[in-house]
Amino acid sequence: MGTAAGVGPTASRTTARTAPRRTAPTLRQVAAAAGVSRATASRVINGGHLVSDHAKQAVEAAIAELGFTPNPVARNLATRRTGSVALVVPEPNARLLSDPFFGSVINGLSLSLEAADLQMILVIARPGPGHDRAVRYLTTGQVDGAVITSHHREDLLNARLVEAGLPCVFVGRPLDVEDSHCVDMDNVGGARLATEYLIEHGRRRIGTVAGPADMTAGVDRLLGWRQALEGAGLPTDAVVHGDFTAAGGAEATRRLLAEHPDLDAIFVASDLMASTALTEVAALGRRVPDDVAVFGFDDLGLATTTTPPLSTVIHPVEAMAVRAGQMLVEMLSGIEHAAEPVVFPARLALRDSA
Amino acid sequence: MGTAAGVGPTASRTTARTAPRRTAPTLRQVAAAAGVSRATASRVINGGHLVSDHAKQAVEAAIAELGFTPNPVARNLATRRTGSVALVVPEPNARLLSDPFFGSVINGLSLSLEAADLQMILVIARPGPGHDRAVRYLTTGQVDGAVITSHHREDLLNARLVEAGLPCVFVGRPLDVEDSHCVDMDNVGGARLATEYLIEHGRRRIGTVAGPADMTAGVDRLLGWRQALEGAGLPTDAVVHGDFTAAGGAEATRRLLAEHPDLDAIFVASDLMASTALTEVAALGRRVPDDVAVFGFDDLGLATTTTPPLSTVIHPVEAMAVRAGQMLVEMLSGIEHAAEPVVFPARLALRDSA
DNA sequence: TTGTACGCGTTATCAC
DNA sequence: GTGATAACGCGTACAA
């Protein structure tokens, strides 16, 4: 398109002529039917204060009779608010949606948004052309704010949204935006706790299948593992990075055990990877936890279905999402929020694998 | 609320005063800067036809300088279109999102919507208070249309949306709305194909773990199974209903095998249920496929990860979603569509379990 | 080709 | 309490 960026001719937005959708009644008609002015009718709709009972009755009757429903779009224009917020999920590969993480985020966020009578809509921001459209959609007043599940640093989505002035709250600390409102868990502490547990139970040669180096969850959990080992004077050389997927976890585990056959424990940065790590360990003829202990991270449902069930670090995603929603609601209502991360403490869920 | 249904005072929609969001430049300012009228400026933005090159240049320069972006909300009000469509997923229990089915629907739909420069937004319609808000959101002009993943009959969501005149396309035939635009697969044929395959390969005592009786996928797949057996003069008494979940599949399989210990094959109405059915069969000391053949349905990725890999019926969800998106786009552009189901043919994916 | 003027449906600010 | 009337920002007949 030859015009300035993002202004386009709305390309293929075809001329509308959908099914015979009879036009909805307007406020004007309600006012007329009730024998009052639009202003008065508007008042009874928005709270009903400062109106006589008489007028109120009349307007309500008219509303009921005509089946009037306020046009939200017009209201959006007038109020500059939409009553809806987006849950943004940057998603390179679609399968990420099947991660129980998102289910928990959705659940938690729904809770706090519903309490504030806000509509949650989910926006998937893929790289590519769809990315720009999503950004435009989010930054031009179609939503009041956004909760963003933070991910890789490469996509500039995060920065673009906050710079556009959109009220944003991140679930999980973003790597690329500094003073952001975010709610996270203590990933470092969780990893350290898990690793210390392994040490306390006699493990001396502890490796890790870490997460990606471009995600804070990846680097933080790796850091916690290292801290615990250094604190105990144990070596920290057995590190392989996975990509938080099942297949990636299997592959990383194979490499880790090939390079360090002497490991007696593995801290895996996510349960999904840990689940396949269990399989790989077993495939090598090593028993879990007798020969090799495996410690996971997340406890989002998967950990109890593996054999053996995974000892893991609890990732309180749903509670975090609830909190994120509350933060956003407060920001939307004008409460100034220090842009300081809210950090949920880490706890362990001990089962059979370690 | 005392007023008419759905008109409410928008309860807690708190007064806005978010971060210092400097007001965006308006079309009026662009026009002024370019020395033309708003109408001319508007023309160059919307296609640029019928404007002199001179004016066009000036307006584009002004747009670039001011960093103007059209306000979509105002545009929505004026055009009665939003340029966005909803993917509606009625979701009683949140874990449904982890079903690979949704990932495929999202992928496919994104494809065809992106081609039409439409923004896809995902709306989750839980039962309860959120349900009504979602319906209001969808039926009051905030989206141009909807693609709905059809599910249980109990929620009247489907009917409410089409009756409100919202252009709707269903992925999967809905049970409760008659002349709907929908794209489905040949569930009956697929189930019949699978069962016939079992028969042709010597199985004579074939049971089924069926889907819920209130979902078309459930009843259709059961019907196909029955048709094949009746065609071959075999008994159709070994039926147990599952709920399309892993746990439900396991439980149903246990019941089925308890009631009919003589089965030499099971047709399971979904791979998710089939995956746990495999486990249950194995737990009973029966070998798959030697003692009991297991045939699944879906082939959405899970089937290749089980042991043994599942023979299954291919559910071409992504292609179906692409088609659904295209149908909706056509409806939105005024092309009259016969409300006749588009049905994708069924094919088998043969692996080791049968 | 361009500009005028009105419409989209509400909210909000005033006087009364 | 109530009612004009001006925003809100943009599209678009219609006339020029």
Side-chain angles (χ1 to χ4, degrees):
Chain A
M1 55 178 93
T3 70
V7 176
T10 27
S12 44
R13 202 192 262 197
T14 44
T15 50
R17 188 171 50 96
T18 127
R21 234 164 137 175
R22 69 184 180 295
T23 56
T26 80
L27 184 62
R28 171 177 254 107
Q29 301 176 29
V30 171
V36 299
S37 71
R38 301 204 320 271
T40 303
S42 179
R43 283 192 198 98
V44 10
I45 288 172
N46 297 10
H49 303 300
L50 304 187
V51 282
S52 66
D53 277 0
H54 179 65
K56 193 168 177 174
Q57 308 285 337
V59 171
E60 284 174 355
I63 288 176
E65 178 160 4
L66 277 64
F68 169 78
T69 299
N71 180 331
V73 178
R75 185 179 270 180
N76 294 348
L77 181 59
T79 61
R80 296 162 160 286
R81 304 204 84 206
T82 67
S84 60
V85 324
L87 169 57
V88 181
V89 357
E91 184 220 16
N93 27 27
R95 94 193 106 63
L96 274 190
L97 261 196
S98 60
D99 196 316
F101 175 79
F102 287 107
S104 299
V105 172
I106 290 172
N107 281 339
L109 192 55
S110 303
L111 252 45
S112 34
L113 292 187
E114 232 160 61
D117 196 36
L118 257 26
Q119 172 69 39
M120 177 184 79
I121 69 187
L122 215 155
V123 172
I124 304 201
R126 281 200 175 70
H131 193 124
D132 286 341
R133 185 168 358 82
V135 170
R136 209 179 329 162
Y137 181 84
L138 294 170
T139 59
T140 51
Q142 312 244 51
V143 298
D144 296 339
V147 170
I148 305 170
T149 59
S150 177
H151 278 296
H152 305 278
R153 78 154 29 113
E154 59 241 60
D155 67 305
L156 306 165
L157 185 69
N158 298 348
R160 288 177 69 181
L161 293 182
V162 316
E163 277 168 17
L166 182 72
C168 291
V169 174
F170 294 89
V171 175
R173 180 168 50 92
L175 207 42
D176 57 347
V177 24
E178 286 299 318
D179 299 312
S180 59
H181 299 252
C182 80
V183 16
D184 202 354
M185 75 163 288
D186 183 5
N187 282 300
V188 178
R192 193 177 34 205
L193 231 48
T195 310
E196 285 170 353
Y197 177 90
L198 291 170
I199 297 171
E200 284 164 15
H201 285 71
R203 310 291 172 168
R204 283 297 172 270
R205 194 62 186 103
I206 305 175
T208 185
V209 173
D214 64 346
M215 297 173 69
T216 56
V219 310
D220 286 358
R221 293 171 191 181
L222 176 58
L223 177 58
W225 167 83
R226 183 172 290 130
Q227 284 182 356
L229 291 181
E230 287 173 348
L234 293 173
T236 61
D237 59 315
V239 179
V240 169
H241 283 272
D243 62 356
F244 278 161
T245 70
E251 202 267 326
T253 304
R254 271 195 299 276
R255 283 217 326 271
L256 184 66
L257 286 173
E259 294 172 14
H260 307 277
D262 58 328
L263 295 184
D264 60 5
I266 308 178
F267 167 64
V268 187
S270 85
D271 287 346
L272 193 56
M273 295 199 294
S275 68
T276 53
L278 288 176
T279 315
E280 292 300 321
V281 171
L284 260 49
R286 320 274 265 276
R287 291 167 305 169
V288 176
D290 301 337
D291 302 328
V292 179
V294 173
F295 216 108
F297 205 116
D298 278 343
D299 197 38
L300 259 24
L302 184 57
T304 59
T305 70
T306 56
T307 43
L310 278 168
S311 288
T312 191
V313 184
I314 298 174
H315 193 176
V317 177
E318 186 160 329
M320 288 165 56
V322 169
R323 191 74 189 80
Q326 292 170 340
M327 278 182 63
L328 188 59
V329 169
E330 291 169 9
M331 289 168 64
L332 259 33
S333 59
I335 299 179
E336 268 318 309
H337 244 293
E340 247 174 55
V342 172
V343 179
F344 280 62
R347 286 184 4 227
L348 303 184
L350 298 176
R351 304 208 174 85
D352 300 338
S353 72
Chain B
M1 53 179 100
T3 70
V7 176
T10 29
S12 43
R13 200 193 263 197
T14 44
T15 51
R17 187 170 50 97
T18 126
R21 237 165 137 175
R22 68 183 180 295
T23 56
T26 79
L27 183 60
R28 168 178 256 111
Q29 302 176 28
V30 171
V36 300
S37 72
R38 298 205 332 266
T40 304
S42 178
R43 285 191 196 98
V44 9
I45 288 172
N46 297 12
H49 303 300
L50 304 186
V51 281
S52 66
D53 278 359
H54 178 66
K56 192 167 177 176
Q57 309 286 337
V59 171
E60 284 175 355
I63 287 176
E65 178 160 5
L66 277 65
F68 169 77
T69 299
N71 179 330
V73 178
R75 190 180 262 179
N76 294 349
L77 181 59
T79 62
R80 297 164 160 285
R81 303 204 86 206
T82 66
S84 60
V85 325
L87 169 58
V88 181
V89 358
E91 183 221 17
N93 27 26
R95 96 191 104 63
L96 274 191
L97 261 197
S98 60
D99 197 317
F101 175 80
F102 287 107
S104 299
V105 171
I106 290 173
N107 281 338
L109 192 56
S110 303
L111 252 44
S112 34
L113 292 187
E114 233 160 60
D117 195 38
L118 258 26
Q119 171 70 39
M120 176 183 81
I121 68 186
L122 217 155
V123 172
I124 304 202
R126 284 200 173 70
H131 193 124
D132 286 342
R133 182 162 8 78
V135 170
R136 210 180 328 163
Y137 181 83
L138 294 170
T139 58
T140 50
Q142 313 245 48
V143 298
D144 296 339
V147 169
I148 305 169
T149 59
S150 177
H151 279 294
H152 305 275
R153 77 149 35 107
E154 58 241 59
D155 67 304
L156 307 165
L157 185 68
N158 299 347
R160 289 177 68 182
L161 294 183
V162 317
E163 276 169 16
L166 181 73
C168 291
V169 174
F170 294 88
V171 175
R173 180 168 49 92
L175 207 44
D176 56 348
V177 26
E178 285 300 317
D179 300 312
S180 59
H181 299 252
C182 80
V183 16
D184 202 354
M185 76 163 288
D186 182 5
N187 282 301
V188 179
R192 193 176 36 205
L193 230 48
T195 310
E196 284 170 354
Y197 176 91
L198 291 170
I199 297 172
E200 285 164 13
H201 285 71
R203 310 292 173 166
R204 285 296 171 272
R205 195 61 186 103
I206 305 175
T208 186
V209 173
D214 64 347
M215 297 173 70
T216 56
V219 310
D220 286 359
R221 294 172 189 180
L222 177 58
L223 177 58
W225 168 83
R226 183 173 289 127
Q227 283 181 358
L229 291 181
E230 287 175 347
L234 293 173
T236 60
D237 58 317
V239 180
V240 169
H241 283 272
D243 61 356
F244 279 160
T245 70
E251 202 267 326
T253 304
R254 270 195 300 275
R255 282 218 328 270
L256 184 66
L257 287 173
E259 295 173 13
H260 308 276
D262 58 329
L263 295 185
D264 61 6
I266 308 177
F267 167 64
V268 187
S270 86
D271 286 347
L272 192 57
M273 294 198 295
S275 67
T276 53
L278 289 176
T279 315
E280 292 300 322
V281 172
L284 260 50
R286 321 273 266 274
R287 290 168 306 168
V288 176
D290 301 338
D291 301 329
V292 180
V294 174
F295 217 107
F297 206 116
D298 277 344
D299 197 37
L300 260 22
L302 184 59
T304 59
T305 70
T306 55
T307 44
L310 278 168
S311 288
T312 190
V313 183
I314 298 175
H315 193 176
V317 177
E318 186 161 329
M320 288 164 57
V322 169
R323 190 75 189 77
Q326 292 169 340
M327 279 182 62
L328 188 58
V329 169
E330 290 169 9
M331 290 168 65
L332 293 176
S333 59
I335 299 177
E336 267 318 310
H337 244 292
E340 246 174 53
V342 172
V343 180
F344 280 62
R347 288 185 1 229
L348 302 185
L350 298 177
R351 302 205 176 87
D352 300 339
S353 71

